[in-house]
Amino acid sequence: MQFEHRMEVFACRSSRGFAEKVVEAINQRREGDEPLLNLGALEVSQFSDGEFQPAFTESVRGAMVFIISSTFPPADNLMELLLTIDAAKRASASKVIAVMPYFGWARQDRKDRPRVSIGAKLVANLLRAAGADRVMTCDLHADQIQGFFDIPVDHVYASHVFIPYIKSLGLKDLSIAAPDMGGAKRANAYARDLACPVIIAHKSREKANVVASITAIGEVEGRNIIIVDDMVDTAGTLTKAADVLMEKGAASVRACCTHAVLSGPAYERIASSALTELIVTDTIPLSDDPAKDKSKIKVVSMAGTFAHIIRRVYNYLPISTEFVF
């Protein structure tokens, strides 16, 4: 007896809303008489001491299982993803693909001071040990994190949704800015596609999440500037860079940041900053606190991009074109 090749998509609790959009996008791409795909049933039992246990309430035997979960906040969501992967393997899924729109611990990609862990490598090992056959993620903090894995990694770029949005703005005298030296490669890729110059913001830090000073390198005066980065956390660097660029004569400053971590005073800083607009993706949901000012924040969805990649992986089709910025 041969099992039918089939796809099953499940979501951990942190990413159910995003997963629903991915499934909807997959269904929109159906061809011929392909059946409708439903988001699979996954329940999580919670114990009084904080322990929890995911369980599939339908068979996944022989299926290619995609489990969607951003690991933010990191600890519980990573553990839930690991347990769900393990449950799928023990339920005889043929392959288990961890779809992590936001990969937590990506900033811990090296030993930047003595006696610290390399968290990104540890998470890569944990995913493999749990039974993941493949990982899909978006805009890693550093491209070389892909090398931490001994399984295939599909690294998707948010430029697929950011660049069309930037073009729709119709801005003249456009420049792309990197918030620091490490973001120069990303900024250069955007600038090449948009045929515009690059500005580099050189920053120095007092400590983690605390920026001491920022200096802009490049022509700023009269330019409509878009800062591109992989994430926005406390928004200290981003808002300070926007203020510096406006002081130097920029016509406007916007930002495209893939992962909206937005911790601490981030919402307040963005609302009171010189930023015209902050464009983010839905890899991390925005806060549902009505007191948070989101008037300057525009969300563009990565669901369609992930749906496209999932369909191609499921059908064993090449995805090389999706690796271009």
Side-chain angles (χ1 to χ4, degrees), residues 7 36 96-97 100 149 168 189 201 213 223 233 262 292 324:
M7 178 197 305
L36 277 170
V96 180
I97 294 92
M100 305 172 69
F149 289 87
S168 75
S213 63
R223 309 295 297 185
D233 189 348
L262 298 177
K292 301 288 189 185
V324 180

Side-chain angles (χ1 to χ4, degrees), residues 167-213:
K167 289 178 177 178
S168 75
L169 296 173
L171 298 173
K172 295 183 178 179
D173 301 317
L174 177 66
S175 289
I176 297 295
D180 51 37
M181 301 300 285
K185 179 183 175 183
R186 179 180 288 105
N188 186 61
Y190 275 75
R192 185 172 60 247
D193 195 286
L194 294 164
C196 64
V198 175
I199 297 166
I200 306 293
H202 178 264
K203 70 182 177 185
S204 60
R205 287 191 184 274
E206 291 179 356
K207 56 183 179 179
N209 288 336
V210 179
V211 178
S213 63

